[in-house]
Amino acid sequence: MKKVLIGVSGGVDSSVAALLLKQQGYEVAGVTFKLWGDENSANEKDIQDAKKVCDTLGIKHYIFDYKDMFKSEVIDYFVSEYKKGRTPNPCVMCNKKIKFNAFLNSALEMGYDYIATGHYAFTKYNENTKRYELIQAKSDKKDQSYVLYSLTQEQLSHTLFPIGEYSKEEVRQIAADNNLIVSNKPDSQDICFIPTGDYEKFLLEYTGENCPQGNFKDIKGNIIGKHLGLWHYTIGQRKGLGMAFGKPMFVMDINPDDNSVTLADDNEIFSDTLYTEEANLISVDKLTEPIELMAKIRYSHQKAPAMVFPMDNGELKVVFKEPQRAITKGQAVVFYKDNSVFGGAIIK
């Protein structure tokens, strides 16, 4: 019997994933990660919910303390990216460093064959290419393949995603039918370590630093006002600029070198080209020639056709068929071929 260690977060998705694995005949145990917060935090409450679910399912429950790693690899990364005028996606980094790296290593050391999570996606082995593939979930609305693009072939070969074929409504119904206490638990929102969604307040309290005010500039470099500090802004933003300009203005660029924010009209924040760093390809080992793919420049973005060009430094140049709005440094661009994730990278 194959053994699976599943990450149970205390939410309905991972709870149902654990149930389905058990029904499929695997030997299953659950593990919850300590990532942030104190004994009164949401993370601690989730750990208790996860334990109750594991008790209901009759499976072992472990707790892995990844607080130090989460701080150094995810929170500190998040802060440093903001200081560079970029807008990071910490969930992508958490998956890359913790959920599919540290967790997998721990599971293999403990003698488990696979890890599993409650992400909405699929894996499958392609006999023709001899490679593991990452496939979009059947429910477009819940598909989470975007935040999983960094998985390697080794990680995909040891990973199961049991709920990829279900909708959220179906998952909740399965939980209710099996008397899981989390069947009606609300989905988590925003970034887990910033439950209020107030990034500026978090950055101020975490760093103990004030984010200095600076100049708003237009695209010609003229000073047109004062901004509240770089941390208050992201590319494409219109509301909350801190002052009025007599017409709608949008953040076009954030410039930490001179502590300025460039504003422009809406039609000026479209671009058809981006460059990447830290690329990870899933469908091929290496890109040797240009290829046309569909690409998403952020989690909630619609896919758009683009040509992807390999560069001499191993990174990628992406040219969209139609200009895209508010391409943002620090976010991930993820490439799709049909319903399979071809790969992805960080926008630089």
Side-chain angles (χ1 to χ4, degrees):
M1 186 185 294
K2 292 286 188 181
K3 297 172 67 178
V4 186
L5 189 59
I6 179 167
V8 282
S9 65
V12 67
D13 296 330
S14 59
S15 300
V16 168
L19 168 71
L20 293 172
L21 288 169
K22 195 177 174 194
Q23 290 176 343
Q24 289 163 16
Y26 291 100
E27 182 182 327
V28 184
V31 59
T32 311
F33 309 144
K34 279 193 175 184
L35 299 177
W36 58 278
D38 57 25
E39 63 275 6
N40 296 313
S41 70
N43 191 201
E44 286 295 327
K45 293 179 180 118
D46 288 339
I47 290 171
Q48 296 310 311
D49 284 347
K51 185 179 186 317
K52 288 173 186 171
V53 167
C54 289
D55 288 346
T56 301
L57 296 176
I59 62 176
K60 288 181 184 174
H61 178 246
Y62 300 98
I63 297 171
F64 288 176
D65 190 338
Y66 288 140
K67 272 186 173 182
D68 290 344
M69 189 186 301
F70 188 75
K71 179 185 179 301
S72 62
E73 299 286 6
V74 180
I75 300 179
D76 289 349
Y77 156 80
F78 177 84
V79 171
S80 69
E81 287 287 277
Y82 260 94
K83 286 184 173 182
K84 294 174 189 171
R86 292 154 59 110
T87 306
N89 186 324
C91 298
V92 165
M93 194 55 61
C94 183
N95 287 334
K96 181 177 180 178
K97 299 288 188 176
I98 296 178
K99 289 183 180 172
F100 297 93
N101 184 34
F103 174 34
L104 175 59
N105 293 338
S106 299
L108 294 175
E109 286 172 12
M110 292 169 69
Y112 286 88
D113 301 292
Y114 300 102
I115 61 169
T117 68
H119 285 96
Y120 286 83
F122 287 104
T123 60
K124 81 171 185 184
Y125 185 70
N126 186 320
E127 286 290 350
N128 295 325
T129 63
K130 305 300 181 191
R131 295 182 73 84
Y132 285 90
E133 296 181 348
L134 175 64
I135 310 295
Q136 282 184 272
K138 288 207 174 154
S139 169
D140 278 349
K141 196 164 63 171
K142 288 301 295 180
D143 173 56
Q144 292 174 299
S145 60
Y146 173 92
V147 295
L148 302 170
Y149 80 84
S150 66
L151 268 65
T152 65
Q153 286 295 300
E154 171 71 7
Q155 290 164 348
L156 286 166
S157 73
H158 289 285
T159 300
L160 303 174
F161 296 119
I163 63 169
E165 64 182 286
Y166 296 97
S167 69
K168 185 71 179 204
E169 294 73 23
E170 289 170 327
V171 165
R172 287 201 182 279
Q173 189 60 53
I174 293 169
D177 291 345
N178 288 273
N179 301 313
L180 298 182
I181 60 162
V182 293
S183 62
N184 289 313
K185 187 173 179 177
D187 288 348
S188 56
Q189 302 293 328
D190 297 308
I191 294 169
C192 68
F193 57 91
I194 314 178
T196 64
D198 190 339
Y199 301 175
E200 297 86 15
K201 183 181 178 186
F202 169 80
L203 291 163
L204 179 65
E205 291 177 351
Y206 186 79
T207 63
E209 300 171 13
N210 281 310
C211 188
Q213 296 184 359
N215 293 322
F216 281 127
K217 294 183 176 180
D218 64 19
I219 58 173
K220 295 179 180 176
N222 299 314
I223 295 172
I224 55 174
K226 286 283 184 188
H227 68 66
L228 302 171
L230 299 185
W231 295 346
H232 290 267
Y233 307 100
T234 187
I235 306 298
Q237 179 179 335
R238 187 189 94 175
K239 295 180 179 177
L241 297 180
M243 61 180 297
F245 296 92
K247 64 175 182 176
M249 295 290 277
F250 299 81
V251 175
M252 181 182 184
D253 202 6
I254 298 168
N255 318 295
D257 291 342
D258 66 355
N259 191 34
S260 69
V261 174
T262 303
L263 302 179
D265 294 333
D266 187 47
N267 64 340
E268 293 169 322
I269 62 170
F270 284 78
S271 177
D272 63 1
T273 304
L274 65 82
Y275 295 86
T276 74
E277 59 191 8
E278 300 178 35
N280 179 65
L281 300 179
I282 294 176
S283 296
V284 296
D285 190 44
K286 185 179 180 184
L287 195 63
T288 56
E289 57 187 24
I291 184 171
E292 184 168 5
L293 298 166
M294 300 297 285
K296 285 176 73 166
I297 57 170
R298 65 180 63 85
Y299 181 74
S300 58
H301 199 257
Q302 291 295 314
K303 293 180 199 167
M307 287 299 297
V308 181
F309 298 85
M311 297 177 68
D312 292 341
N313 63 1
E315 296 302 343
L316 306 170
K317 175 184 176 183
V318 183
V319 180
F320 288 91
K321 211 169 195 177
E322 301 287 340
Q324 301 297 297
R325 187 181 186 280
I327 295 174
T328 304
K329 291 176 285 187
Q331 290 286 296
V333 56
V334 178
F335 311 112
Y336 294 82
K337 190 167 187 181
D338 300 321
N339 64 343
S340 177
V341 177
F342 189 88
I346 300 295
I347 299 167
K348 74 171 182 182

